[in-house]
Amino acid sequence: MKYKIVENSPFARIARLVLRSSNVAMVLGKTIHLSGVKREGFLKDSGWVAHELCHIRQFQEHGYLRFLWLYLRESMRVGYWNNKYEVEARIAGLKGARDMLIAEKADSSINPTELPIPADVKKEV
């Protein structure tokens, strides 16, 4: 999935003020807008990245203007935290963080010197 990241975004700055948060990432179309966090810090948090990638997918599924309308209408109806698009993204973020932890654990448990090189494995004829 192709996407762009914009640091010090004025859009994310406004969201940061509205949400009263020290850092914000938000998506508009295929662009992740950041405020209060640098690109490197954002990319290190696999759960956060998965959350924002979920929003990119939502934009792709519904179309840009339609998704903005659906998202805003849902937020007005039930609030930001209960917005079904935010709930879906939070679940994606939890799964992304969990999958990364599993991958890191598996990575650290493999000792490459214990594995045979393909040429070392003899085939029976």
Side-chain angles (χ1 to χ4, degrees), residues 8-17 24 26 28 33-35:
N8 301 316
S9 164
F11 297 115
R13 172 84 172 135
I14 292 167
R16 197 172 119 193
L17 294 172
V24 163
M26 64 172 282
L28 292 172
H33 295 263
L34 303 177
S35 179

Side-chain angles (χ1 to χ4, degrees), residues 111-123:
N111 184 350
T113 59
E114 297 173 359
L115 300 174
I117 298 173
D120 294 341
V121 178
K122 296 183 181 181
K123 296 180 184 176

Side-chain angles (χ1 to χ4, degrees), residues 38-50:
K38 296 285 185 196
R39 175 188 182 97
E40 297 77 27
F42 168 73
L43 291 173
K44 285 180 183 176
D45 188 331
S46 58
W48 200 2
V49 172

Side-chain angles (χ1 to χ4, degrees), residues 18-32:
V18 169
L19 295 172
R20 297 183 184 138
S21 178
S22 60
N23 53 43
V24 163
M26 64 172 282
V27 170
L28 292 172
K30 294 180 181 178
T31 304
I32 300 171

Side-chain angles (χ1 to χ4, degrees), residues 90-103:
R90 281 197 301 274
I91 291 169
L94 290 171
K95 287 180 182 176
R98 183 200 66 207
D99 292 345
M100 191 55 146
L101 286 173
I102 291 169

